[in-house]
């Protein structure tokens, strides 16, 4: 089992939502990997705290206020009912119209520029599917272009280096 | 009061007492513009919906307003309910949309202090009074830590964490409420969990210093 998978399934496992086989694999991995044992311990603590939480209730029954709202709504109910029920984000909704159009224009111009410019040279970007090629490059001691990404998708760094690529992994 | 729990502890789609109408029947009354349906639906579901929204917004006033909006929208759109999911799940879906709407208008994370956990004082009286008091204190401290960590998460992370951990929802329900696919949900939840753990670890480290 990979540490990444253990991390992903840990809460489900501790809540008894995994199959017996998967649960056994999780338990076995926990006993072998100190890093994942720590994750499991923290996850147990979170689950214990969450289980003790009590749902806060409103200070008073909301029905009288709701009844008042219905009364106020009165004949406008049909118009209100026509509004979409599902939330759709409206980017720039609060921005003054000319500025909104200027932003849109700039975006279109940028898009046209990006489409029109010559394609950048292909770089040796390493992805999981390029694994075999990566192994060959490391074996041949060729410098490998790596990009290090944090868990929140921000790029931490990028460089040409073979040794560094050997060090960066998922803990296995 | 029980914890807001969608799956079992708050299963309202069964008659809680013989002769009482089900949630579907109450919603059908709403669709026919009979306010008695909405009144009963509100009384049944206001607590879990309010609790959920309070955890997302961090403000009792915002949570109350948003809860009113949930039932108002349910009333207005009752005739559109497809009877494919539980009424409670549908109400939570509306609540998720309203919370997102509220967040996009405010563009702010909860800043107000989280309300004290009143029931933290209801300790299991097993040992001495001193032991009980210590336990209550410890629980209150842990609860505060969790809420502070939650308030540091992004609104989308917080939404998933609250539904998964505090409302005890399963993946199917969270999918229905948030509109996310299973794969996207698993990935986002895993990342949200990592961030939550990081915040909690930081809080723990700060305490030990």
């Amino acid at each position: 089992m990979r540490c990444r998978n253990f991390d992903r399934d840990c809460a489900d496992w501790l809540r008894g939502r995994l199959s017996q086989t998967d649960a056994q694999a999780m338990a076995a991995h926990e006993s072998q990997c100190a890093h994942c044992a720590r994750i499991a311990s923290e996850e147990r603590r979170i689950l214990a705290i969450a289980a003790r939480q009590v749902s806060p209730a409103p200070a008073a029954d909301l029905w009288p206020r709701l009844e008042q709202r219905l009364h106020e709504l009165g004949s406008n109910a049909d118009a209100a009912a026509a509004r979409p029920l599902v939330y759709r984000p409206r980017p720039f909704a609060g921005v003054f119209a000319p500025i909104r159009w200027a932003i849109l224009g700039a975006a279109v111009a940028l898009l046209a520029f990006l489409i029109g410019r010559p394609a950048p040279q292909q770089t040796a970007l390493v992805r999981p599917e390029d694994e075999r090629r990566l192994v060959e490059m490391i074996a041949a001691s060729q410098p490998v272009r790596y990009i290090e990404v944090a868990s929140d998708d921000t790029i931490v760094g990028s460089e040409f280096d073979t040794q560094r690529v050997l060090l960066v992994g998922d803990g296995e | 009061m029980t914890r807001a729990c969608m799956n079992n502890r708050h299963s309202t789609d069964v008659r809680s007492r013989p002769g009482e109408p089900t949630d579907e029947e109450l919603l059908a009354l709403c669709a026919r513009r009979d306010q008695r349906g909405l009144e009963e639906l509100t009384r049944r579901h206001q607590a879990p919906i309010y609790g959920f929204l309070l955890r997302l917004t961090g403000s009792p006033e915002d949570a109350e307003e948003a809860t009113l909006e949930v039932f108002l929208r349910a009333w207005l759109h009752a005739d559109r309910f497809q009877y494919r999911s539980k009424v409670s799940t549908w109400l939570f879906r509306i609540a998720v949309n309203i919370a997102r709407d509220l967040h996009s208008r405010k563009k702010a994370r909860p800043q107000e202090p989280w309300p004290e956990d009143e029931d933290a004082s209801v300790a299991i009286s097993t040992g001495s009074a001193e032991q009980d008091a210590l336990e209550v204190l410890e629980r209150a401290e842990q609860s505060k830590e969790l809420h502070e960590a939650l308030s540091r998460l992004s609104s989308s992370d917080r939404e998933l964490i609250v539904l998964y951990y505090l409302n005890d929802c399963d993946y199917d329900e969270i999918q229905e409420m948030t509109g996310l696919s299973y794969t996207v949900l698993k990935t986002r939840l895993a990342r949200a969990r990592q961030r939550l753990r990081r915040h909690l670890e930081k809080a723990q480290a700060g305490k030990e210093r």
Side-chain angles (χ1 to χ4, degrees), chain A residues 12 15 43 52 61 65, chain B residues 64 142 164-165 168 171:
Chain A
D12 289 337
R15 294 172 81 178
E43 200 63 50
R52 285 199 296 262
D61 182 12
R65 283 170 67 188
Chain B
E64 276 195 14
Q142 285 178 338
Y164 184 84
Y165 285 102
D168 205 16
Y171 288 119

Side-chain angles (χ1 to χ4, degrees), chain A residues 52-138:
Chain A
R52 285 199 296 262
Q53 296 301 302
V54 176
S55 178
D61 182 12
L62 295 176
W63 171 246
R65 283 170 67 188
L66 189 59
E67 197 177 18
Q68 178 65 27
R69 293 279 169 92
L70 288 179
H71 181 70
E72 286 163 9
L73 199 64
S75 57
N76 295 325
D78 289 341
R83 283 194 319 219
L85 185 59
V86 175
Y87 167 80
R88 286 186 187 86
R90 289 157 298 178
F92 309 117
V95 181
F96 184 53
I99 299 174
R100 202 161 55 209
W101 284 109
I103 293 171
L104 187 67
V108 170
L110 181 67
L111 194 66
F113 168 75
L114 290 174
I115 292 169
R117 73 181 183 151
Q121 226 174 1
Q122 193 70 37
T123 55
L125 192 67
V126 179
R127 295 170 301 173
E129 55 263 42
D130 295 330
E131 201 174 336
R132 201 167 62 141
R133 195 165 148 242
L134 172 65
V135 170
E136 285 167 7
M137 288 171 86
I138 292 171

Side-chain angles (χ1 to χ4, degrees), chain B residues 164-180:
Chain B
Y164 184 84
Y165 285 102
L166 300 174
N167 282 54
D168 205 16
C169 295
D170 59 30
Y171 288 119
D172 287 346
E173 283 176 319
I174 303 178
Q175 273 181 264
E176 264 187 62
M177 291 170 197
T178 58
L180 297 174

Side-chain angles (χ1 to χ4, degrees), chain B residues 66-94:
Chain B
T67 308
L68 287 174
E69 184 67 19
V70 169
F71 290 103
L72 208 55
R73 286 198 198 179
W75 165 260
L76 292 169
H77 300 280
D79 54 344
R80 294 194 204 168
F81 183 65
Q82 304 280 312
Y83 295 93
R84 283 195 296 238
S85 63
K86 289 198 281 186
V87 172
S88 53
T89 306
W90 186 64
L91 290 173
F92 267 80
R93 178 165 189 173
I94 299 175

Side-chain angles (χ1 to χ4, degrees), chain A residues 7-13 15 17-18 38-39 42-43 45-47 49-67 69-71 73 76-78 80-87 90 151-153, chain B residues 1 3-4 35 38-39 42-43 46-47 50-51 54-55 64-65 67-69 71-73 75-77 80 90 97 100-101 104 117 119 139 142-143 145-147 164-166 168-171 186 191 193-195 197-198 200 204:
Chain A
D7 192 348
R8 189 195 58 203
D9 295 333
C10 186
D12 289 337
W13 170 49
R15 294 172 81 178
R17 292 182 179 180
L18 291 188
R38 229 177 21 249
I39 289 176
E42 186 61 16
E43 200 63 50
R45 195 171 85 89
I46 295 173
L47 286 170
I49 300 172
R52 285 199 296 262
Q53 296 301 302
V54 176
S55 178
D61 182 12
L62 295 176
W63 171 246
R65 283 170 67 188
L66 189 59
E67 197 177 18
R69 293 279 169 92
L70 288 179
H71 181 70
L73 199 64
N76 295 325
D78 289 341
R83 283 194 319 219
L85 185 59
V86 175
Y87 167 80
R90 289 157 298 178
S151 59
D152 59 354
D153 285 345
Chain B
M1 170 164 302
R3 188 154 69 97
Q35 288 194 10
L38 186 63
E39 183 178 357
T42 305
R43 291 204 165 122
Q46 59 183 344
Y50 170 84
L54 179 61
R55 282 168 175 149
E64 276 195 14
E65 274 305 309
T67 308
L68 287 174
E69 184 67 19
F71 290 103
L72 208 55
R73 286 198 198 179
W75 165 260
L76 292 169
H77 300 280
R80 294 194 204 168
W90 186 64
N97 289 331
R100 287 175 185 176
D101 221 357
S104 72
D117 193 352
D119 289 38
R139 283 180 183 202
Q142 285 178 338
S143 177
E145 260 176 42
L146 177 70
H147 287 141
Y164 184 84
Y165 285 102
L166 300 174
D168 205 16
C169 295
D170 59 30
Y171 288 119
K186 282 274 278 188
R191 286 182 182 176
R193 223 181 263 136
Q194 283 171 359
R195 288 180 197 122
R197 275 205 309 263
R198 221 177 295 149
L200 284 169
Q204 193 76 16

Side-chain angles (χ1 to χ4, degrees), chain B residues 133-175:
Chain B
L134 279 174
E135 197 169 329
V136 169
L137 270 178
E138 196 189 349
R139 283 180 183 202
E141 187 65 31
Q142 285 178 338
S143 177
K144 198 174 154 211
E145 260 176 42
L146 177 70
H147 287 141
E148 277 173 3
L150 274 177
S151 70
R152 288 196 179 92
L153 295 176
S154 70
S155 62
S156 52
D157 280 355
R158 193 162 54 243
E159 185 182 292
L160 297 180
I161 292 288
V162 169
L163 287 170
Y164 184 84
Y165 285 102
L166 300 174
N167 282 54
D168 205 16
C169 295
D170 59 30
Y171 288 119
D172 287 346
E173 283 176 319
I174 303 178
Q175 273 181 264

